[in-house]
Amino acid sequence: MMQEPQEMVEETVTIEEDPGTPTSHVSVVTSDDGTTRRTETKVTKMVKTVTTRTVRQVPLGPDGLPLPEGSSPLGSYTDSIDRRYLKNGERYITTPQATSTLTRSYNNYNDSYSDALPPDAGGSQYGGRHYGLHDGYGIGDATDNYGSLSRGVNFRPPRYPYAMANSYRPENSYGTLPIRKDDYGHVAQPQVPMGSSSVDLNRSQPERFQPEPYGLEDDRRSLGPEEEEPYDLEPDYSTASRRQGTLPGTNRGRTMREPLRDGPRIRGYEDPIEAELIDERHPYIHGMYPAPLAQPERGSMASLDRLAGRRSPSIDSIRKDPRWRDPDLQEVIAMLGHPIDPVKSNAAAYLQHLCYENDKIKKDVRQLKGIPVLASLLDHPKAEVHRKACGALRNISYGKDHDNKVAIKNCDGIPALVRLLRKTNDMEVRELITGTLWNLSSYEPLKMVIINHGLQTMTNEVIIPHSGWEHEPNEDSKPRDAEWTTVFKNTSGCLRNVSSDGAEARRRLRECEGLVDALLHALQSAVGKKDMDNKSVENCVCIMRNLSYHVHKEIPGAEKFTDPSVLQAPGSAGPQRKKKDDAGCFGGKKAKEEWFNQARKNGENDKNYDTLDLPKRTEPTKGFELLYQPEVVRLYLSLLTESQNYNTLEAAAGALQNLSAGQWTWSNYIRATVRKEKGLPILVELLRSDSDKVVRAVAIALRNLSIDRRNKDLIGSYAMRDLVSNLPSGQQRPAKNLEEDTVVAILNTIHEIVTDSSENARSLIQAQAIEKLVAINKTSQSPREDKAASHVLQTVWSYKDLRNALTKEGWNKSHFQPTATGAPKAAKNGKPGYDDTTLPLMEKNQGTKKNGSGDMIPMDELGPDGYSTIDQRDKDCKYKSSGDGSVDLTEREPLKNDTNRKHYVRSNRPAVKLVDACEVKPQPVDSWV
Amino acid sequence: MSFIPGQPVTAVVQRIEIRKLQHGEHLILGFSIGGGIDQDPGQNPFSEDKSDKGIYVTRVTPGGPAEVAGLMMGDKVMQVNGWDMTMVTHDQARKRLTKKDEDIVRLLVTRKSLEQAVRHSMM
């Protein structure tokens, strides 16, 4: 009951988001708006850059003029070009950087070169959606297989009209350009008219550029779609070309462009230049030359053929232009093994693009055994190659198809990713790696694998350095703040996922050197900077919450800290005083335990519960001990006060809930510390949250906190109204429409608070709760709510001194007894008011069984932990209240709020309600058989 | 499991035979079902698309007869003793499973992992 590492919940969430976020850079972009948008933004920037350059050039234009129409040699395209120029000119003329840019691009040539694909991809982005756009990918000239997708089809028609003699010529010129083709570079695609050299230059330069930006963010391409619109900038060639590529049917650049012929070809302008450059810089390219150059048509194909060992059928494909087709998937995968590195990297980049949001392609890649090849490229020494391979893997690893994830694992992709993470300093590659790991970590069976291979590396390489934590802080310097980088976000997301993999996973994470320290440091820094709403913080808190789960049972030596007396001494859980405690060493000895007992007695006698001496330590705490030091209370309370992020709030409340559960010394401290840090009002305030899960986590935390007697009194006095206001009244759900789990949690918290405290029971009555409780008991369709409400009512009725007041308000004994079965006994085990016929035995037993030990419903791994069980038992002993045991049990289930559970719960309601409306007997949504 | 209207549904199924357990005066199978054509399929946590009105195993009692027989949470029940379960109401399914005069129930169930396993083997 008390602790539920709501692992499941987290996981689910994470998964979704992970891909999204990380992906945004990459093609992964989720269909969701959020992600997409981000991407867009980035794209925009890039585009702008490009534009700038162009502008420059414009003025420089071959003609020396902004290319009025007539001037350009290109003839048909002129129009479009000119216009663009003009536009650009207007806007951008001022920008000075062009030169530098160019230079850079040249220098980067290599990079850009490889990157070139991405740009296309970018174009394809559009394509991303439509897929057809690949043209851009020079890669395959062959559009074929993908042809259907490729814009080729859509694309071409428009072109033709434009394709004038001029345009064709360029092709002839291919000889020069072919190189590109080989490379697949879209860049390479030489197209257009070579005629006007000056023009070409201009254009080419801009293009060159593009590659760069794109290259950096491969996936941006996915963003592509957006690119088109806003930018008039587009005019840039480079941009334009992309778009064209991308937007087949689309208008703008495209259409205009078309004259140039294909988007891809547009680049052609550059080609000449590039080609030369290439020669100089990439000697190896020459190797490829012979074949392709001679026969432009075969350019890329030549290599393909070689690789694939067969001639691709597509060559003679439908495409009007036999020279260009996209390679089919098999060919692309074959190219991953091409001896020439740029071919590999381009093929990988193309794969990444193809896989973007396309589950079918991902599956095909898997079935064509592409994943092991990609994984092997992770160890490739060339940055360009392993980067692209990593990008492709990231896209492949995203999505619901776990087989893809398994495939990556089966070819040892996880250790390969981790190796690369250790090796590379390239931020982008690190983002890709950690994004991939995050994606992989969403699949249960891979969690342990990731822990085994990557935990320490991720901690050392990412978490610690980015958290700002230092092993041995320099006393003089100010502590460093955490940096919320994408890499950190991805890595913490991955760890968040794996931290939910059960006791062993928790143990590994807790014992991972520096991890807890760094996470705490990061959170503290977040609190310090008041920057608590971001995803990284959410991830960190969730990890902390998960690691706090069952600390009192799982920490080595924890048994030394348990309170032996608690079991026999109900209600005594109040804080103890303790002089000194070498907590750090877990050195608890017999003497200490005795001391505890004594302290307890003192505590009981002496009503001053606020006296609490925290143990003094001789050496600083570190590692997992930090998880449960009373100091963390302030941190969580700060988060609860400041954060607007529901997940963070839930996790912080969950952490307090976990820490305040159980009967060991530290949970006593935690409970008292929450009070002393004025945390109770903060928690109570959150009972008004609009978020169901926050309310639930807070309610359960309050329940655990009220194990402390003093807390119980305070909560009874100050929280009762807020608790009660969350209860449904009769058929009417409160405005918030809380889920069954939440309602049950609140009822159980109320039960805990009124148990052993007639004062609190009185508060309950004053909060007008009886009416609601009776209504729930009578009319709720949820057996669990029913039962929980019934327990509360019974407890209230058990205070004889309150009966008078109750009777005055018109209640009588029958209202406080379980409905349906009527007999209190039945209530103990069972679910009053449930239609038993539908639930033969098992159903009835449910309560009892749970009591025993097993969970009826092994919804997730939490169940087995059975913490709740223990607790319940304790309670039973303690309070002896009749149905207690079962109450707790009930709670247990709710705790496991995995998604399934939620659905399940939800399903109960509507169905029932509908039935109710018709006055028909409620239909069991779920029947034991 | 996807299907095309008008076409026979194909699914990879597993046969599961459960011997009911005498529990007090009842015979129990040790699992619970959800779904049915009279239920809101959108609430079904186990179906892939939220329009499947089939009968799904929602919970399995640990150590119970169903678990022993290999039934798993999330399984979709296709048939019970030869009776179709893909187009029945929740109550019909329940009754079909809880016949007092039958102490063995033979189920045909399908689950995602089965399909995946088959797909793998064909790859």
Side-chain angles (χ1 to χ4, degrees):
Chain A
M1 25 155 355
M2 329 215 124
Q3 49 293 46
E4 19 166 339
Q6 311 167 339
E7 314 181 350
M8 301 298 289
V9 174
E10 293 186 2
E11 294 180 5
T12 317
V13 176
T14 315
I15 296 177
E16 301 276 337
E17 302 196 5
D18 297 3
T21 328
T23 328
S24 50
H25 298 275
V26 190
S27 45
V28 182
V29 177
T30 322
S31 46
D32 302 352
D33 302 349
T35 319
T36 312
R37 305 231 163 161
R38 279 194 194 170
T39 313
E40 294 184 6
T41 313
K42 292 177 183 177
V43 175
T44 312
K45 285 182 186 171
M46 301 175 55
V47 175
K48 283 186 181 176
T49 315
V50 176
T51 311
T52 311
R53 299 175 185 175
T54 312
V55 174
R56 274 295 197 91
Q57 297 178 352
V58 174
L60 300 178
D63 300 356
L65 301 179
L67 314 184
E69 306 191 355
S71 60
S72 74
L74 302 183
S76 53
Y77 349 42
T78 317
D79 291 327
S80 43
I81 296 173
D82 293 353
R83 276 192 231 157
R84 294 177 185 175
Y85 276 98
L86 290 175
K87 284 183 189 175
N88 294 340
E90 292 175 2
R91 288 190 179 182
Y92 296 87
I93 291 177
T94 3
T95 36
Q97 301 176 344
T99 323
S100 53
T101 331
L102 290 178
T103 322
R104 244 209 271 157
S105 54
Y106 281 136
N107 294 337
N108 297 343
Y109 186 64
N110 294 336
D111 295 349
S112 51
Y113 176 69
S114 21
D115 293 349
L117 287 182
D120 288 354
S124 30
Q125 293 276 331
Y126 293 113
R129 301 189 172 176
H130 315 329
Y131 263 69
L133 310 188
H134 306 324
D135 286 347
Y137 282 122
I139 295 186
D141 304 352
T143 318
D144 243 325
N145 303 329
Y146 291 97
S148 42
L149 309 177
S150 42
R151 28 126 126 164
V153 179
N154 303 332
F155 205 24
R156 295 269 167 137
R159 275 190 206 163
Y160 282 101
Y162 290 95
M164 310 300 293
N166 288 346
S167 52
Y168 280 93
R169 286 180 196 168
E171 299 194 353
N172 296 342
S173 57
Y174 274 7
T176 22
L177 311 178
I179 301 172
R180 303 327 226 22
K181 290 181 175 184
D182 293 354
D183 301 345
Y184 300 120
H186 332 1
V187 184
Q189 309 214 343
Q191 314 313 2
V192 192
M194 319 296 314
S196 61
S197 57
S198 54
V199 173
D200 294 353
L201 288 178
N202 291 338
R203 294 181 181 177
S204 57
Q205 295 179 351
E207 290 213 357
R208 279 240 134 298
F209 230 25
Q210 301 179 346
E212 260 209 27
Y214 274 88
L216 298 183
E217 337 207 342
D218 312 11
D219 265 328
R220 311 271 174 109
R221 10 149 138 182
S222 9
L223 312 177
E226 320 339 333
E227 299 179 7
E228 358 169 343
E229 336 91 72
Y231 294 77
D232 307 10
L233 316 179
E234 290 306 345
D236 296 350
Y237 294 107
S238 44
T239 342
S241 39
R242 275 186 229 155
R243 293 182 178 178
Q244 296 178 351
T246 349
L247 321 173
T250 2
N251 32 36
R252 302 200 178 161
R254 236 304 179 82
T255 336
M256 320 275 296
R257 255 348 174 54
E258 290 328 343
L260 300 182
R261 300 205 77 259
D262 324 351
R265 310 218 165 172
I266 293 175
R267 299 186 178 178
Y269 290 105
E270 314 166 345
D271 292 354
I273 297 173
E274 292 182 356
E276 294 174 6
L277 293 176
I278 293 175
D279 291 351
E280 296 173 5
R281 310 205 168 183
H282 303 270
Y284 54 84
I285 291 180
H286 289 288
M288 307 188 58
Y289 267 90
L293 291 182
Q295 313 176 356
E297 306 90 17
R298 301 210 54 218
S300 51
M301 293 312 307
S303 45
L304 289 177
D305 292 351
R306 265 187 262 143
L307 291 176
R310 65 193 171 93
R311 183 170 173 107
S312 76
S314 42
I315 288 193
D316 323 299
S317 66
I318 316 160
R319 269 266 183 115
K320 289 24 194 254
D321 182 348
R323 271 172 248 192
W324 304 97
R325 76 166 176 89
D326 291 337
D328 66 23
L329 201 48
Q330 200 156 5
E331 288 163 345
V332 177
I333 291 171
M335 280 186 265
L336 292 173
H338 193 279
I340 293 175
D341 292 337
V343 177
K344 285 182 186 141
S345 68
N346 284 344
Y350 187 40
L351 272 183
Q352 172 181 4
H353 164 72
L354 289 177
C355 289
Y356 172 68
E357 284 202 345
N358 188 324
D359 291 338
K360 167 78 168 59
I361 302 270
K362 291 179 196 173
K363 187 178 153 204
D364 291 345
V365 170
R366 184 182 79 233
Q367 290 177 342
L368 292 170
K369 310 282 186 237
I371 292 177
V373 189
L374 284 169
S376 69
L377 290 182
L378 292 174
D379 289 321
H380 196 283
K382 280 226 168 57
E384 213 30 60
V385 176
H386 62 236
R387 174 189 305 160
K388 299 299 184 222
C390 202
L393 286 173
R394 171 153 159 192
N395 280 2
I396 289 170
S397 66
Y398 173 64
K400 292 190 186 127
D401 191 347
H402 295 316
D403 292 346
N404 294 330
K405 301 184 173 85
V406 172
I408 292 175
K409 178 225 138 192
N410 285 345
C411 59
D412 288 330
I414 292 174
L417 286 164
V418 172
R419 264 198 307 279
L420 185 54
L421 180 60
R422 269 195 297 263
K423 213 162 49 185
T424 183
N425 286 318
D426 179 331
M427 225 8 120
E428 184 201 346
V429 175
R430 290 176 149 236
E431 286 176 11
L432 291 170
I433 296 169
T434 52
T436 309
L437 288 171
W438 193 359
N439 287 344
L440 294 174
S441 70
S442 66
Y443 185 48
E444 219 66 34
L446 300 187
K447 291 181 177 178
M448 222 13 127
V449 183
I450 293 173
I451 290 176
N452 288 336
H453 289 103
L455 175 58
Q456 195 67 56
T457 302
M458 284 190 280
T459 303
N460 292 345
E461 294 288 336
V462 181
I463 298 291
I464 293 179
H466 291 251
S467 72
W469 177 75
E470 290 158 24
H471 268 285
E472 290 165 359
N474 178 349
E475 306 243 325
D476 304 332
S477 65
K478 206 174 127 203
R480 290 191 301 133
D481 278 332
E483 317 158 27
W484 307 129
T485 56
T486 305
V487 175
F488 184 81
K489 178 183 66 187
N490 291 352
T491 308
S492 57
C494 175
L495 293 179
R496 169 181 174 179
N497 278 349
V498 301
S499 70
S500 67
D501 199 35
E504 175 63 10
R506 287 192 293 273
R507 186 183 69 76
R508 297 286 297 276
L509 265 69
R510 284 183 195 126
E511 292 175 3
C512 176
E513 196 182 338
L515 177 59
V516 173
D517 314 62
L519 291 174
L520 263 179
H521 183 93
L523 287 174
Q524 258 140 9
S525 142
V527 168
K529 288 188 295 184
K530 303 246 180 230
D531 179 11
M532 290 172 260
D533 296 333
N534 63 57
K535 187 77 183 172
S536 296
V537 170
E538 177 187 323
N539 288 338
C540 292
V541 186
C542 286
I543 299 170
M544 292 294 288
R545 188 244 331 255
N546 284 352
L547 297 187
S548 301
Y549 178 70
H550 278 188
V551 271
H552 61 287
K553 288 166 59 183
E554 295 174 357
I555 292 297
E559 59 287 349
K560 307 225 174 83
F561 289 93
T562 46
D563 259 338
S565 52
V566 169
L567 296 181
Q568 292 86 29
S572 66
Q576 289 82 29
R577 295 184 7 224
K578 206 174 156 197
K579 324 174 195 165
K580 215 170 202 184
D581 173 18
D582 36 355
C585 6
F586 294 108
K589 296 291 167 338
K590 209 177 183 188
K592 194 196 278 178
E593 290 180 4
E594 281 169 10
W595 198 88
F596 279 166
N597 288 335
Q598 200 190 341
R600 161 157 306 72
K601 278 171 204 148
N602 292 344
E604 279 174 342
N605 301 335
D606 144 12
K607 288 297 176 194
N608 185 4
Y609 292 102
D610 279 330
T611 314
L612 175 72
D613 290 336
L614 296 179
K616 306 252 184 333
R617 297 176 210 99
T618 47
E619 39 186 85
T621 333
K622 60 181 174 33
F624 60 76
E625 298 164 16
L626 292 167
L627 287 170
Y628 47 84
Q629 297 303 310
E631 285 83 348
V632 298
V633 168
R634 186 170 298 172
L635 172 66
Y636 293 131
L637 290 177
S638 299
L639 290 167
L640 288 170
T641 313
E642 303 280 347
S643 180
Q644 305 292 321
N645 178 330
Y646 286 148
N647 293 324
T648 301
L649 290 174
E650 180 200 9
L656 288 178
Q657 168 192 334
N658 285 341
L659 293 174
S660 58
Q663 305 293 350
W664 73 328
T665 323
W666 295 106
S667 61
N668 290 338
Y669 292 141
I670 296 285
R671 288 187 284 260
T673 307
V674 171
R675 177 178 67 249
K676 295 179 75 177
E677 294 284 345
K678 311 217 179 334
L680 294 176
I682 296 171
L683 289 165
V684 171
E685 173 77 26
L686 285 170
L687 285 173
R688 297 170 204 156
S689 167
D690 291 329
S691 163
D692 190 272
K693 56 193 179 181
V694 173
V695 173
R696 180 165 50 221
V698 168
I700 302 174
L702 285 173
R703 178 181 175 174
N704 286 351
L705 288 166
S706 69
I707 292 173
D708 177 301
R709 182 70 212 197
R710 179 93 178 110
N711 283 349
K712 178 182 279 194
D713 293 344
L714 289 168
I715 293 170
S717 314
Y718 297 108
M720 201 58 94
R721 255 165 227 286
D722 285 308
L723 285 168
V724 171
S725 70
N726 276 311
L727 292 177
S729 45
Q731 284 296 4
Q732 286 183 331
R733 295 260 145 203
K736 278 194 242 174
N737 194 17
L738 299 176
E739 289 188 14
E740 181 188 40
D741 284 345
T742 309
V743 174
V744 172
I746 291 169
L747 288 169
N748 287 336
T749 302
I750 292 176
H751 183 257
E752 175 71 39
I753 296 170
V754 299
T755 300
D756 265 2
S757 168
S758 67
E759 206 41 51
N760 287 344
R762 197 180 298 278
S763 309
L764 182 70
I765 296 169
Q766 285 162 0
Q768 312 293 319
I770 303 300
E771 186 177 351
K772 283 185 169 184
L773 290 168
V774 170
I776 293 171
N777 203 17
K778 272 213 184 96
T779 61
S780 167
Q781 301 307 326
S782 151
R784 293 168 52 239
E785 288 179 8
D786 227 47
K787 187 161 54 171
S790 163
H791 287 309
V792 177
L793 288 171
Q794 289 174 58
T795 306
V796 172
W797 190 251
S798 71
Y799 295 110
K800 300 215 169 76
D801 51 328
L802 295 179
R803 285 189 192 162
N804 201 9
L806 289 170
T807 325
K808 268 188 204 153
E809 291 189 25
W811 306 108
N812 61 50
K813 187 179 179 190
S814 67
H815 293 113
F816 295 88
Q817 288 178 340
T819 43
T821 33
K825 262 210 168 173
K828 252 189 211 164
N829 296 336
K831 26 195 68 234
Y834 205 141
D835 174 3
D836 277 352
T837 58
T838 29
L839 331 160
L841 316 194
M842 285 313 237
E843 185 64 7
K844 278 190 193 154
N845 298 338
Q846 207 168 350
T848 325
K849 266 215 161 177
K850 287 179 186 169
N851 246 338
S853 63
D855 315 310
M856 266 317 230
I857 306 179
M859 295 300 266
D860 59 12
E861 68 271 30
L862 302 183
D865 289 349
Y867 168 70
S868 37
T869 327
I870 290 181
D871 227 47
Q872 265 119 311
R873 288 194 189 140
D874 295 351
K875 290 235 180 88
D876 281 347
C877 306
K878 277 195 206 165
Y879 303 125
K880 296 279 180 320
S881 45
S882 54
D884 239 4
S886 22
V887 173
D888 290 350
L889 295 176
T890 322
E891 250 208 319
R892 233 197 202 166
E893 290 183 18
L895 295 187
K896 333 168 168 187
N897 338 299
D898 42 345
T899 352
N900 289 348
R901 182 77 208 169
K902 275 187 184 157
H903 286 285
Y904 170 72
V905 169
R906 253 181 243 129
S907 67
N908 253 335
R909 284 213 176 128
V912 173
K913 271 206 173 158
L914 288 180
V915 176
D916 248 358
C918 316
E919 292 267 285
V920 182
K921 151 181 160 187
Q923 190 117 30
V925 173
D926 194 286
S927 312
W928 284 97
V929 292
Chain B
M1 197 184 67
S2 61
F3 61 94
I4 301 162
Q7 296 296 310
V9 174
T10 58
V12 183
V13 296
Q14 179 180 349
R15 265 170 217 290
I16 290 188
E17 188 173 287
I18 307 177
R19 181 174 294 273
K20 291 183 185 172
L21 181 68
Q22 187 70 40
H23 198 283
E25 52 186 288
H26 298 271
L27 285 173
I28 62 160
L29 288 162
F31 69 97
S32 74
I33 55 168
I37 56 176
D38 55 341
Q39 303 289 323
D40 176 4
Q43 320 274 346
N44 183 333
F46 300 109
S47 64
E48 246 176 270
D49 56 345
K50 293 299 174 196
S51 61
D52 187 345
K53 297 186 173 186
I55 301 294
Y56 280 80
V57 175
T58 54
R59 298 179 278 180
V60 179
T61 308
E67 189 191 70
V68 171
L71 197 67
M72 292 162 68
M73 188 168 70
D75 286 357
K76 177 178 179 179
V77 181
M78 308 296 286
Q79 290 184 5
V80 173
N81 290 340
W83 294 90
D84 173 64
M85 286 293 124
T86 62
M87 291 294 274
V88 294
T89 64
H90 184 85
D91 217 39
Q92 284 168 334
R94 184 183 55 75
K95 285 183 177 143
R96 195 49 79 189
L97 286 162
T98 55
K99 297 267 179 224
K100 291 205 189 308
D101 52 352
E102 299 170 353
D103 32 0
I104 290 187
V105 169
R106 292 181 183 84
L107 304 177
L108 284 189
V109 302
T110 183
R111 71 177 71 107
K112 225 180 290 165
S113 58
L114 281 176
E115 292 192 3
Q116 283 164 356
V118 171
R119 235 185 294 135
H120 277 299
S121 65
M122 297 193 310
M123 265 165 52

